[in-house]
Amino acid sequence: MASGGPGERSGEGRGRVAQGLFAYGLIVRMWVRSALAYRTSFVMMTVGNFAANGLDFVAIMLMFSRIDALGGFTLPEVAFLYGTSGVSLGLADLLLGSVEGLGRRVRDGTLDTLLLRPVPVFAQIAADRFALRRLGRITQAVLVLGWSLPLLPVDWTVGRALMVPLMAVCGAAIFAAVFTAGAAFQFWAQDAAEVQNSFTYGGNAMLQYPPTVFARELVRGVTFLVPLAFVNWLPALRLLGHPDPLGLPGWVDFMGPVVAALMCAGAGLAWRLGLRAYRSTGS
């Protein structure tokens, strides 16, 4: 008699997800306790992370000391882009940033050790060396975002107010998908961390500025090829009342949750394919 129907497979899938989340939490807790064991060092590194990221916004403020608008956006509007993008990347980097080190594990063979453990490999990779100091990036971006909100020319309603946290969550999911897809690519490339960084940290640097200052071809690329525009550009255009440089239908601005879900599903598939294609150093 056949076994393993859709319901059973679905239950097994949920069980593995729950197991992965539990293992992720245990590993994260271990690294957090390790970091807090040296509180002075932790505080200094967190403050350093905060200050290093703050220099980017200082550069923007210096720019606006000479101009009134950039690509039609005022300083509070650019600060809004900066804050939403920074929060999204900060959350993804905090939760999954460690996966960018997969290439090193593939090269030196330490990935084999993780494969022997009865815990999903992705949970182990994502939680490895969990860096709580990355809260400095998130805190700095939240402060800039909080400063910009009351200065924006927006008639705030409940719906518009809810768009802000929704942008952060969807943006974090999009960046997390890029982190995961980039890590999956390293199963074949083995040394592609810099390529991955160009889409994550490089993408964040681009999203801090208005889309109107970039070439239309680049805006098309980050809308249709690697859809980072859904992190903050498209919903921000709707919220701030700026025209879309690509002239897309208005409903596209609300597609962030759908794009995030599709990207996460695609990244998950890429990870599974990469893991299956991996050949141990001993094989």
Side-chain angles (χ1 to χ4, degrees), residues 165-178:
L166 183 62
M167 287 170 62
V169 172
C170 293
I174 291 172
F175 275 123
V178 176

Side-chain angles (χ1 to χ4, degrees), residues 17-37:
V17 170
Q19 181 188 28
L21 291 174
F22 181 73
Y24 177 88
L26 289 178
I27 299 171
V28 165
R29 182 182 178 187
M30 177 190 71
W31 284 108
V32 169
R33 291 179 64 183
S34 175
L36 295 180

Side-chain angles (χ1 to χ4, degrees), residues 46-241:
T46 303
V47 171
N49 189 277
F50 177 98
N53 286 282
L55 291 176
D56 292 337
F57 190 66
V58 170
I60 292 175
M61 294 184 69
L62 290 174
M63 185 189 309
F64 272 91
S65 68
R66 299 292 182 179
I67 59 176
D68 295 326
L70 178 66
F73 284 65
T74 62
L75 176 58
E77 291 173 332
V78 173
F80 179 74
L81 295 178
Y82 178 98
T84 50
S85 176
V87 170
S88 296
L89 177 66
L91 289 172
D93 191 29
L94 176 69
L95 299 176
L96 296 180
S98 296
V99 299
E100 65 183 4
L102 177 65
R104 173 183 51 81
R105 286 190 172 275
V106 172
R107 294 192 303 273
D108 62 21
T110 55
L111 181 62
D112 294 359
T113 305
L114 304 186
L115 291 169
L116 296 175
R117 298 172 181 169
V119 176
V121 176
F122 185 78
Q124 298 181 67
I125 293 288
D128 185 41
R129 300 187 180 278
F130 183 87
L132 193 62
R133 67 179 182 276
R134 291 170 177 161
L135 286 174
R137 175 195 291 273
I138 300 174
T139 303
Q140 186 267 337
V142 167
L143 290 177
V144 172
L145 178 60
W147 173 81
S148 71
L149 291 178
L151 301 177
L152 295 175
V154 176
D155 181 17
W156 291 104
T157 62
V158 174
R160 292 189 179 116
L162 290 177
M163 283 184 67
V164 179
L166 183 62
M167 287 170 62
V169 172
C170 293
I174 291 172
F175 275 123
V178 176
F179 272 116
T180 303
F185 179 64
Q186 295 188 54
F187 279 115
W188 293 279
Q190 299 186 8
D191 189 15
E194 294 304 321
V195 176
Q196 176 179 329
N197 290 344
S198 68
F199 288 102
T200 50
Y201 304 110
N204 173 63
M206 178 180 63
L207 295 176
Q208 294 173 357
Y209 295 91
T212 48
V213 304
F214 297 100
R216 183 164 296 185
E217 291 74 16
L218 179 60
V219 177
R220 287 197 184 99
V222 296
T223 301
F224 300 110
L225 296 181
V226 183
L228 296 177
F230 290 90
V231 171
N232 64 349
W233 272 359
L234 292 176
L237 290 174
R238 164 71 61 168
L239 185 65
L240 300 176

